[in-house]
Amino acid sequence: MAERSFKQEVTKLRLGAGQEFEGEGILAVTKALLQSGVSYVGGYQGSPVSHLMDVLADASEILDELGVHFESSASEATAAAMLGASVHYPLRGAITFKSTVGTNVASDALSNLASGGVTGGALIILGEDYGEGSSIIQERSHAFAMKSQMWLLDPRPNLPSLVRAVQQSFDLSEASNTPVMLTLRIRACHAHGRFDAADNRRPAFTLKDAIEQPRRDVERMALAPATFVHEHEKIAQRWKAAEDFVREQGLNERFDGEARHVGIIVQGGLYNTLMRVLELMGLANIYGDTDIPIYVMNVVYPVVESEVLDFCRDKDAVLMLEEGQPEFIEQALHTILRRAGAGTVLHGKDLLPRAGEYTPRVVMKGLRRFLDRHAPELAGRRPLPEGVARMLEPRIPPIVPSMPGVALEKVDEVLPRPPSFCTGCPERPIFTAMKMVENRIGKHYVSADIGCHQFAALAPFNIGATSMGYGLGAAGAAALNTGETDRRTISIMGDGGFWHNGLTSGIGNAVFNRSNNVTVIVDNGYSAATGGQDILSSAADTPTRSTRHGIEAAVRGVGVEWVRTVTHTYDLQQMQSVLNEALTTDEPGPKVVIAQSECMLNKQRRIKPRQRQMAKEGRRVVKEQFGVDHDTCTGDHSCIRLSGCPSLSIKDNPDPLRRDPVATVLPSCVGCGLCGEVSHAAVLCPSFYRADVVTNPTRLETLGARLAGTIIRFLQRRLAKQEYRHAA
């Protein structure tokens, strides 16, 4: 169950020539794939392209009609290896995953693919998750493109440009026999707009044709000595073919302006940011007309030398806007200009931050410095709005420490808002139990993993020392395996990471090397961190996937003998007992604890629509919620300290003789019961009560509620009279 359904929106994928498509960027990219005659698509979910996988899954009927094969791949490496079908056959194939972590996983397959080259168009659609709001390490896809020599597109973030980029990527790939990478930033993925649709195309050469007419060319395999020939091919043939195609088809764009002596070169993905800044400075209008000439690099690798020299001709200075580091494009431009003996001064990271996201504020500061130096008549063309002008005042500290030209000043730190588990998350009690076990038998080294469970590294749990990659929790603790101590390390692994590569790199490796450590596999039923997609061990029945394959069977299948499965993680007593046994048992070999409970977010997505429908039909619906009796609460707050639930908060103590604030449960409570479990386990707290909120109650329930209310009101009035007499 993905976090969002596109069942209604995918009907737009049937639009044809003469019709206008209106919708989201992800849908536009899917439509462009179908218009391009793609034969097969694969990938692995990850922000910001998770929804591309969801769209493709929801569009299975349309894909089947066109003869397009779609797979939700086991990993990014699996997806990248799929493109091998385009090596010998004129099959157009596309894959998608999150960059750069996904590209890290897929890099071996991509390197082999790029070495031998392709016959059919091969497209890698990358979710370029870069910037302050990113959930991953800060690296760029550019390095991978250069390393393996795959062409890299970064198109302007509007729907017509995105659709054109997808279609031109296939043509470019076939014209140069080279895989093409297309980066989509989050704003591009979720941008809304419209474009003129074209008819969907069935593949001219089908998968059936490829299977029934097998081909092989050993020179296209990454096998020595052919790999040596491939390297020369890349430079002598493929590079030239790519440059010719980019130039002749106009993949990059130029926008002329009246200020001929200066210019701006920008990555396509930053074009909208640049135009907003120019508009604020009075140097462009909302229609894209600009006073400063702009060269938009929708293709950022390879850099087309002739286009760069033509744009820089007769210009005194040019500013390069390149987000991230190192400054790959800027270095290439310097090389091109200096080799040609051009006198144009090139600026980039000397006026802009070397690292970090190029927000409008950052770009405006750098552009203002550039214009003050080379075109002062443009810098002050229009008075800046008051709020914008304040951003440029010298006393304002830099947006990032690498901002040049301004002395760093001490500023008050903005309080962080760290990521946390959702309300009712079944993973929270796992780490609560770990903390309680830790208090009894001491601390253990914990190797964390990527996924929702990584939030345990932060308060209030503070569990987890390293995180080496998706599904690599157990591998991250492989070195800490010695018979010189009876202390064991603990590794965390999610069910998504387990099926991604953890079964082999973690569990299988632990068996092979006779590890004595403990691995906790968090089984919430979905690939939850990427949007709730189904995986091999999901309980849901799906028409196009095979599910219900137990993790315990797979673990035992590779040789683990000590396995315990907890089917209800909210049972703290059982969780503590199993963890304690895993850490103290004398049985040799790896210990695996499988902690199962359904992802609460997906559970709510599943049951809430059903409850609303039942209530609408007049049927009885019961919702469990918890509360705190403030007269009983001692203000110990162990319920908060040991669970960290967002629905638990504090409020002023209503007792005038007590100053400690008391705990309170917010209306967002989903009734998981962990707060009560934690409190009873910690200090036998009797403050918590459970209430059943009933919609469409029976007559007997209504009568009982009225009777209870009457008795309670009578007792409350009686108590109030007694308090009044004592006070008097």
Side-chain angles (χ1 to χ4, degrees):
M1 179 190 292
E3 82 179 350
R4 180 178 171 189
S5 172
F6 289 85
K7 284 290 186 183
Q8 294 182 341
E9 289 95 328
V10 295
T11 57
K12 297 178 182 179
L13 299 177
R14 298 186 185 276
L15 295 176
Q19 296 178 292
E20 186 178 65
F21 182 103
E22 182 175 359
E24 196 173 355
I26 286 292
L27 280 163
V29 170
T30 310
K31 174 62 174 163
L33 291 173
L34 301 183
Q35 292 178 177
S36 302
V38 70
S39 295
Y40 62 94
V41 186
Y44 194 86
Q45 57 271 2
S47 175
V49 291
S50 287
H51 288 330
L52 181 54
M53 299 293 293
D54 300 333
V55 169
L56 289 163
D58 287 339
S60 58
E61 183 178 334
I62 299 174
L63 299 181
D64 290 342
E65 292 172 4
L66 294 169
V68 179
H69 174 67
F70 167 64
E71 275 195 12
S72 183
S73 308
S75 71
E76 295 87 352
T78 306
M82 280 183 72
L83 292 175
S86 295
V87 171
H88 297 301
Y89 305 99
L91 294 169
R92 288 188 164 184
I95 59 169
T96 181
F97 43 74
K98 181 187 184 80
S99 182
T100 58
V101 287
T103 321
N104 288 339
V105 175
S107 60
D108 197 24
L110 293 177
S111 294
N112 282 273
L113 181 75
S115 183
V118 295
T119 301
L123 176 61
I124 303 107
I125 301 172
L126 300 173
E128 192 77 346
D129 192 6
Y130 184 86
E132 188 177 0
S134 170
S135 61
I136 60 167
I137 51 180
Q138 293 296 281
E139 292 182 357
R140 300 172 60 192
S141 304
H142 205 113
F144 287 94
M146 294 195 304
K147 174 186 74 68
S148 299
Q149 193 167 302
M150 295 178 286
W151 316 135
L152 180 62
L153 274 67
D154 185 7
R156 288 197 292 140
N158 62 68
L159 265 58
S161 294
L162 295 178
V163 171
R164 186 167 56 251
V166 170
Q167 295 173 333
Q168 290 175 328
S169 292
F170 283 115
D171 295 334
L172 171 60
S173 177
E174 291 168 350
S176 60
N177 303 117
T178 303
V180 171
M181 304 170 80
L182 173 69
T183 57
L184 293 178
R185 299 155 192 253
I186 192 165
R187 291 182 180 87
C189 290
H190 302 301
H192 283 256
R194 53 178 65 118
F195 64 92
D196 294 329
D199 292 332
N200 294 332
R201 290 168 47 194
R202 289 185 63 86
F205 187 87
T206 67
L207 295 172
K208 178 176 180 291
D209 294 331
I211 295 170
E212 295 179 351
Q213 303 170 38
R215 303 176 185 177
R216 66 183 298 271
D217 180 358
V218 71
E219 292 184 1
R220 293 301 100 207
M221 296 181 67
L223 179 67
T227 50
F228 179 76
V229 178
H230 296 165
E231 184 180 20
H232 289 271
E233 252 183 36
K234 287 179 178 180
I235 301 301
Q237 299 173 26
R238 300 184 205 171
W239 189 296
K240 183 181 184 304
E243 278 196 325
D244 290 344
F245 183 89
V246 171
R247 185 175 57 253
E248 292 166 5
Q249 299 300 318
L251 270 63
N252 295 320
E253 300 171 282
R254 279 183 61 169
F255 299 95
D256 291 327
E258 60 186 43
R260 303 286 183 179
H261 64 294
V262 292
I264 300 173
I265 300 177
V266 61
Q267 294 172 271
L270 288 176
Y271 174 80
N272 287 4
T273 301
L274 171 63
M275 293 310 297
R276 175 58 175 158
V277 168
L278 290 173
E279 193 270 331
L280 287 172
M281 296 179 69
L283 300 173
N285 59 31
I286 59 174
Y287 303 105
D289 300 319
T290 172
D291 293 341
I292 302 177
I294 300 173
Y295 174 51
V296 181
M297 298 181 68
N298 294 313
V299 180
V300 294
Y301 183 78
V303 178
V304 182
E305 184 172 334
S306 59
E307 290 186 351
V308 172
L309 291 174
D310 185 56
F311 179 76
C312 294
R313 187 172 293 112
D314 301 326
K315 286 183 173 55
D316 297 332
V318 168
L319 177 66
M320 174 70 225
L321 290 180
E322 178 181 8
E323 191 173 54
Q325 58 85 33
E327 54 270 33
F328 297 119
I329 306 175
E330 185 180 340
Q331 291 171 7
L333 297 185
H334 274 295
T335 300
I336 291 170
L337 292 173
R338 300 296 82 84
R339 281 179 178 172
T344 306
V345 176
L346 178 66
H347 292 285
K349 300 293 186 184
D350 56 331
L351 300 180
L352 286 150
R354 293 185 61 82
E357 188 175 6
Y358 278 11
T359 62
R361 176 179 180 177
V362 172
V363 172
M364 184 177 292
K365 285 175 174 286
L367 182 57
R368 187 62 178 261
R369 290 191 182 95
F370 173 74
L371 295 179
D372 284 343
R373 186 175 302 185
H374 296 284
E377 71 281 4
L378 297 176
R381 174 165 292 188
R382 188 180 84 176
L384 294 173
E386 183 179 348
V388 177
R390 279 201 300 269
M391 293 195 313
L392 302 177
E393 293 176 1
R395 71 171 184 271
I396 300 294
I399 190 70
V400 292
S402 59
M403 173 71 77
V406 180
L408 289 176
E409 301 177 19
K410 181 177 176 58
V411 293
D412 293 335
E413 289 188 7
V414 178
L415 291 176
R417 184 183 179 186
S420 182
F421 297 104
C422 301
T423 297
C425 177
E427 300 182 16
R428 185 179 284 108
I430 299 171
F431 297 104
T432 298
M434 288 179 66
K435 292 296 287 187
M436 291 177 171
V437 171
E438 176 185 287
N439 288 337
R440 286 201 305 271
I441 65 176
K443 289 188 175 183
H444 293 74
Y445 180 87
V446 178
S447 175
D449 204 336
I450 290 175
C452 301
H453 38 82
Q454 194 174 16
F455 298 154
L458 306 173
F461 303 112
N462 302 310
I463 292 176
T466 56
S467 178
M468 301 310 296
Y470 193 34
L472 296 177
L480 304 176
N481 177 36
T482 176
E484 296 179 2
T485 176
D486 57 359
R487 207 89 180 137
R488 292 167 188 163
T489 63
I490 304 174
S491 303
I492 310 297
M493 187 186 300
D495 47 359
F498 172 83
W499 294 114
H500 184 270
N501 69 18
L503 176 59
T504 53
S505 66
I507 306 302
N509 183 71
V511 172
F512 184 66
N513 288 288
R514 297 183 177 181
S515 172
N516 200 35
N517 291 330
V518 178
T519 299
V520 178
I521 300 176
V522 181
D523 181 8
N524 59 27
Y526 309 88
S527 183
T530 62
Q533 292 81 8
D534 288 320
I535 52 179
L536 274 164
S537 51
S538 294
D541 289 320
T542 63
T544 58
R545 303 285 180 269
S546 177
T547 55
R548 298 181 180 271
H549 299 283
I551 291 177
E552 180 170 339
V555 167
R556 291 190 183 277
V558 296
V560 179
E561 296 182 1
W562 196 102
V563 186
R564 302 289 185 272
T565 298
V566 178
T567 57
H568 186 64
T569 61
Y570 300 101
D571 186 342
L572 279 184
Q573 296 300 329
Q574 186 183 14
M575 278 301 313
Q576 290 182 79
S577 175
V578 170
L579 287 169
N580 188 77
E581 182 185 358
L583 292 167
T584 58
T585 180
D586 293 331
E587 188 170 334
K591 287 79 179 168
V592 175
V593 176
I594 303 170
Q596 293 179 334
S597 276
E598 184 180 10
C599 167
M600 184 58 72
L601 206 58
N602 264 29
K603 182 178 180 180
Q604 294 300 313
R605 292 190 188 109
R606 181 169 53 80
I607 67 175
K608 278 187 175 180
R610 189 169 67 217
Q611 290 177 336
R612 285 194 295 266
Q613 183 63 30
M614 290 173 62
K616 187 177 180 180
E617 294 171 354
R619 296 157 65 189
R620 182 175 179 272
V621 178
V622 180
K623 180 183 178 183
E624 294 181 352
Q625 276 196 307
F626 280 75
V628 175
D629 181 359
H630 58 254
D631 289 328
T632 310
C633 178
T634 63
D636 170 75
H637 303 152
S638 62
C639 53
I640 296 174
R641 288 184 287 106
L642 287 173
S643 79
C645 180
S647 292
L648 276 175
S649 186
I650 58 173
K651 66 178 182 180
D652 291 337
N653 199 318
D655 189 338
L657 300 180
R658 295 163 58 195
R659 290 188 291 182
D660 291 337
V662 294
T664 185
V665 180
L666 303 179
S668 57
C669 171
V670 294
C672 72
L674 176 62
C675 50
E677 285 275 347
V678 166
S679 299
H680 283 268
V683 291
L684 299 177
C685 176
S687 305
F688 282 89
Y689 63 84
R690 195 192 78 179
D692 290 343
V693 181
V694 182
T695 304
N696 299 323
T698 64
R699 291 183 179 179
L700 185 61
E701 286 174 325
T702 303
L703 180 62
R706 289 175 179 172
L707 179 61
T710 301
I711 295 173
I712 291 171
R713 284 192 295 272
F714 170 75
L715 294 175
Q716 286 177 334
R717 286 195 295 267
R718 183 177 176 182
L719 180 61
K721 288 179 182 179
Q722 291 177 349
E723 290 177 345
Y724 178 77
R725 284 199 304 270
H726 287 302

